[in-house]
Amino acid sequence: MLRLDYCRRVILRYGNGAICLNTIKLFSKLTQRVYGMSVRSNSTFRRLMRLDSIPTGLARHVNACLRLCDVRKMSGTISICHIPNDLKAKLRAFRFQKSTATNVLILKIDRETHTLIIEEDMQDCGDLEEVKDELPHQQPRYLLISYQLKHSDGRVSYPMCLVFYSPTGCHPEQQMLYAGSRNSLVQECELTKNFEIRDLDEFTSEFLDSKLKP
């Protein structure tokens, strides 16, 4: 257990005790996900700060949040990774390609440059197990999927969605890089469907069917 004193600068960032709203949002996501603690307001945050100690794992999450605050100053909307123009062109081509199969782009964020890149371009995926085999066990990834959806009336459609894979046990700074950049990617691809999974066992045809069928 660690004292909270060194963590206070994460919360009180701008003098006179003002709390950065985006810091609260990011910290709230982490504490809710990892520790089941709900931190949704300044008052709740201040009550948390009056605790005498903090679990070591939670302290690591606080420090990761602080590092990202320092890098981006947490101004405006959270947008951490850079999407280069050549990747934007590839994403657009992927969206409008004519295909009669399930296709998947596996995207990762380069930790050094904070640039989004394509890790795998998987065409004609007959089985989602092929995709799962390409995913790391302790690193986040984005999956941009053009999915072959079979309807009960015999129709076949090809909806597109984003799956944010955020496995338990991944480095908190990596987790925040991906979580903070997710909305930018959704907006770039003009998606209306995006989901998050924590375990590879969740990623099945049944899961996508249930999420994508009207």
Side-chain angles (χ1 to χ4, degrees):
M1 304 289 279
L2 301 177
R3 296 289 300 181
L4 280 172
D5 296 343
Y6 79 98
C7 299
R8 291 181 186 277
R9 65 194 183 99
V10 178
I11 296 94
L12 308 176
R13 293 199 51 82
Y14 297 115
N16 299 320
I19 294 176
C20 174
L21 178 59
N22 283 326
T23 303
I24 292 176
K25 287 180 179 178
L26 285 176
F27 193 83
S28 176
K29 284 185 180 180
L30 290 169
T31 52
Q32 180 68 46
R33 178 178 295 166
V34 180
Y35 296 97
M37 301 168 64
S38 180
V39 183
R40 298 186 180 277
S41 67
N42 289 9
S43 60
T44 307
F45 219 50
R46 292 184 189 281
R47 285 198 298 273
L48 178 63
M49 287 298 96
R50 287 199 293 269
L51 295 174
D52 289 333
S53 58
I54 187 170
T56 302
L58 184 54
R60 286 199 298 267
H61 283 68
V62 172
N63 285 332
C65 182
L66 174 61
R67 286 194 293 272
L68 291 182
C69 287
D70 288 339
V71 170
R72 292 291 174 171
K73 302 302 183 185
M74 302 303 293
S75 59
T77 58
I78 302 168
S79 177
I80 295 172
C81 79
H82 169 62
I83 305 177
N85 289 333
D86 61 337
L87 178 57
K88 290 180 180 180
K90 290 177 182 177
L91 294 175
R92 181 177 175 80
F94 183 83
R95 285 173 52 213
F96 293 107
Q97 68 181 339
K98 301 298 182 182
S99 176
T100 57
T102 295
N103 302 313
V104 180
L105 288 183
I106 301 177
L107 302 157
K108 65 180 286 187
I109 299 176
D110 184 280
R111 292 184 67 178
E112 298 298 323
T113 64
H114 289 187
T115 299
L116 190 66
I117 59 176
I118 295 176
E119 184 174 52
E120 295 288 344
D121 184 350
M122 307 184 68
Q123 300 291 317
D124 196 7
C125 298
D127 189 343
L128 293 182
E129 292 296 324
E130 301 173 25
V131 181
K132 291 164 69 170
D133 288 342
E134 299 297 327
L135 295 174
H137 291 286
Q138 291 191 319
Q139 294 181 39
R141 290 293 185 269
Y142 299 121
L143 307 176
L144 183 60
I145 305 173
S146 175
Y147 184 64
Q148 184 186 62
L149 181 64
K150 297 178 180 178
H151 299 265
S152 57
D153 59 4
R155 291 181 299 112
V156 178
S157 61
Y158 299 90
M160 188 163 294
C161 67
L162 181 76
V163 174
F164 172 34
Y165 169 56
S166 178
T168 302
C170 65
H171 193 282
E173 191 167 354
Q174 266 196 317
Q175 189 177 40
M176 292 183 67
L177 275 169
Y178 280 79
S181 302
R182 177 180 175 182
N183 285 342
S184 293
L185 180 56
V186 168
Q187 291 171 11
E188 179 63 37
C189 296
E190 300 181 13
L191 299 173
T192 59
K193 302 285 187 179
N194 76 96
F195 322 108
E196 180 176 348
I197 59 172
R198 302 281 288 163
D199 192 291
L200 285 177
D201 290 340
E202 298 176 60
F203 187 57
T204 63
S205 296
E206 289 76 18
F207 170 80
L208 290 178
D209 286 345
S210 67
K211 294 293 186 180
L212 296 173
K213 282 184 178 178

